[in-house]
Amino acid sequence: MDRDFHLKAFQEQADAFRRAVLQAGPDAPVSTCPGWDVRRMTGHLARVYARVRASLRSGPGDARPDVPDAPADFDALLSWWDELRGELVSDLSTMDPDRRVWAFFDDATPTGWARRVAHETAIHRLDAELALGQAHDLVFDPELAADGIDEMLTVLLPLGDWSAGEHDGTVLYHAADAGRAWLVTYRPGERPETGAPAGAGLETGATVAGTADAVYRRVWGRPSSASVTGDTALAGVAAGR
């Protein structure tokens, strides 16, 4: 995957998100984000974009950028979202893709941020489609979905403090249509490790299997048709982070 792949995905998912929130309306509840309505979700995504924009203009050693509150008026909010989205597309398209910038994850570059905004937007596009009642028509492209699974399991899952973690065991994630699989190993008090499963007949504590679309939804804690076998609590750790 490269910046251009993620930049294209970001623009496509942002277009779809905007259409869905306009159709749903600002007061529509977002069942997958308890306590949120479309207005609050749009404000959240706009603030994510504002932080990414500021991060791209910061150095790797700078403090975490502050961002303003989102406008309460939905029309003003959507205009701000549009402005931020346009600035992000411009910045991500023109900056040195390997330049070091501020980020909370290891790939602190415009390339890493392009991936992050692509999947943040895609997942909230799904939330918006669910709020609208049209999610049954949405199937994420296997390549994009598999990349989103990979980002969650290899980049985002290990973040944070795991010193008090009690999880112990392995979870196999298999996205059949994308031809990809991941093995996540949990040990008490340690960050989880994700790698490629080795060998046939691998014994695991749990398995999450299905299309890349279904597994993508599962690791992000969204309604999913993925099959979960074995230790369901262990299989749910990633979705709960």
Side-chain angles (χ1 to χ4, degrees), residues 152 156-162 236-241:
M152 170 56 80
L156 301 180
L157 179 62
L159 298 176
D161 183 6
W162 286 87
V237 174
R241 291 295 289 183

Side-chain angles (χ1 to χ4, degrees), residues 12-90:
E12 291 174 347
Q13 297 303 316
D15 284 344
F17 173 86
R18 194 182 194 283
R19 286 194 299 269
V21 299
L22 282 173
Q23 285 183 267
D27 299 321
V30 181
S31 62
T32 42
C33 300
W36 284 19
D37 56 18
V38 164
R39 178 186 287 101
R40 183 169 177 182
M41 179 175 64
T42 305
H44 162 78
L45 192 56
R47 295 185 81 243
V48 169
Y49 291 175
R51 179 162 281 120
V52 176
R53 179 188 61 176
S55 299
L56 291 170
R57 300 172 185 183
S58 301
D62 292 345
R64 176 185 173 92
D66 291 327
V67 298
D69 292 335
D73 177 77
F74 189 64
D75 289 339
L77 170 58
L78 201 57
S79 293
W80 189 46
W81 184 93
D82 285 332
E83 175 187 345
L84 291 165
R85 177 217 178 158
E87 290 181 355
L88 271 187
V89 170
S90 177

Side-chain angles (χ1 to χ4, degrees), residues 172 183 196-204:
L172 175 67
L183 185 69
L202 178 70
E203 292 188 9
T204 62

